[in-house]
Amino acid sequence: MSETAFAMTGGRVSFDGKPVLRGIDLTVRPGEVVALLGANGSGKSTLVRALLGLTPLTGGTTLMYGTPPAKFRDWWRIGYVPQRLQVGGGVPATVREVVASGRIARQRRLRRTSAADKEAVARALESVRLTDRAGDPVQSLSGGQQQRVLIARALAGEPDTYVMDEPTAGVDAETQQLLADTLAGLVRDGKTVVLVAHELGPLEPVITRGVVIRDGRVAHDGPPPRPEGDCARPGHEHQHPHAAEPAGGPLTGWQGEPR
């Protein structure tokens, strides 16, 4: 099996006949921490969805560990952190239950939760400092705390590669720093990370490569570019609207406008 995490060649995506991605060539290798950067509407979140097979390509190819997304079965290797968790409707889930759902891809059908599962969930909760909230309904948490739950869910699965869609936008400074510390730990463990960001903020020290998307094309691929304009000002906080994660789960049911 190929050890390239993602490989897209000539990737194109159109919505209602309007081009969003216009021939993307992108390879992500093990151990890289790649930030996909760009303005709103540039196509960076669409690129992430296309890499994962959530948004179908209208041209080109994409592979996950050497396999087309439609044929990919080793989902335990991918930990996905969406922009927001949609809360509401149905039976209220606890923080622990949401985090434990990150273990599903590692479990055989009808198998009981193992000691390893419980230990992984406990470690993930501790890493995002939510152990004391494990039994609380996830609806009772703040936006920043809910983002920590999504990060913990990905951590609990112990994947090889983490894919994060704007994990720091619109959350408090403490959560941003916590994510930076978490990423630093993943880097030490040799994990691969692909994240979408408008600006890097506290994540900048752990990013090994910056890919700037502009009008659906790769405008830069190399060292992360330095902040410019308003984003370079001390104390700048940039918040953007977010799409909620559909109730169907982190890797199903994507719809919506390109970002």
Side-chain angles (χ1 to χ4, degrees), residues 49 80-89 91-102 125 130 133-134 136-154 164-171 241-252 254:
R49 298 170 194 173
Y80 180 51
V81 180
Q83 292 177 1
R84 282 291 180 269
L85 177 67
Q86 187 177 55
V87 178
V91 179
T94 66
V95 170
R96 183 182 286 106
E97 287 169 342
V98 174
V99 174
S101 70
L125 286 167
L130 285 177
R133 302 297 301 272
D136 294 349
V138 73
Q139 293 97 323
S140 68
L141 272 57
S142 68
Q145 289 169 330
Q146 288 184 13
Q147 193 68 3
R148 294 185 192 189
V149 172
L150 291 175
I151 293 167
R153 181 176 67 180
M164 304 181 176
D165 196 352
E166 296 210 45
T168 62
V171 300
H242 290 77
E245 178 194 341
L251 289 176
T252 59
W254 273 99

Side-chain angles (χ1 to χ4, degrees), residues 90-243:
V91 179
T94 66
V95 170
R96 183 182 286 106
E97 287 169 342
V98 174
V99 174
S101 70
R103 297 292 296 178
I104 291 174
R106 281 190 172 272
Q107 295 173 344
R108 295 194 182 100
R109 291 184 64 187
L110 305 179
R111 182 177 69 77
R112 284 188 169 187
T113 300
S114 68
D117 293 330
K118 293 178 180 178
E119 290 169 5
V121 170
R123 284 195 303 271
L125 286 167
E126 178 64 28
S127 70
V128 299
R129 301 172 197 163
L130 285 177
T131 301
D132 60 336
R133 302 297 301 272
D136 294 349
V138 73
Q139 293 97 323
S140 68
L141 272 57
S142 68
Q145 289 169 330
Q146 288 184 13
Q147 193 68 3
R148 294 185 192 189
V149 172
L150 291 175
I151 293 167
R153 181 176 67 180
L155 291 172
E158 300 176 299
D160 294 330
T161 295
Y162 292 80
V163 180
M164 304 181 176
D165 196 352
E166 296 210 45
T168 62
V171 300
D172 56 275
E174 182 183 3
T175 297
Q176 292 190 31
Q177 186 57 53
L178 181 66
L179 176 60
D181 295 342
T182 301
L183 287 183
L186 296 177
V187 170
R188 288 193 297 271
D189 291 340
K191 301 295 187 179
T192 307
V193 180
V194 178
L195 63 88
V196 173
H198 189 83
E199 65 272 350
L200 296 177
L203 305 184
E204 186 173 359
V206 299
I207 302 299
T208 61
R209 179 177 161 205
V211 177
V212 178
I213 306 300
R214 185 175 299 134
D215 296 326
R217 296 183 174 91
V218 175
H220 168 88
D221 187 346
R226 301 294 300 175
E228 298 178 357
D230 288 343
C231 293
R233 294 177 183 173
H236 172 75
E237 293 186 5
H238 210 132
Q239 298 191 12
H240 305 281
H242 290 77

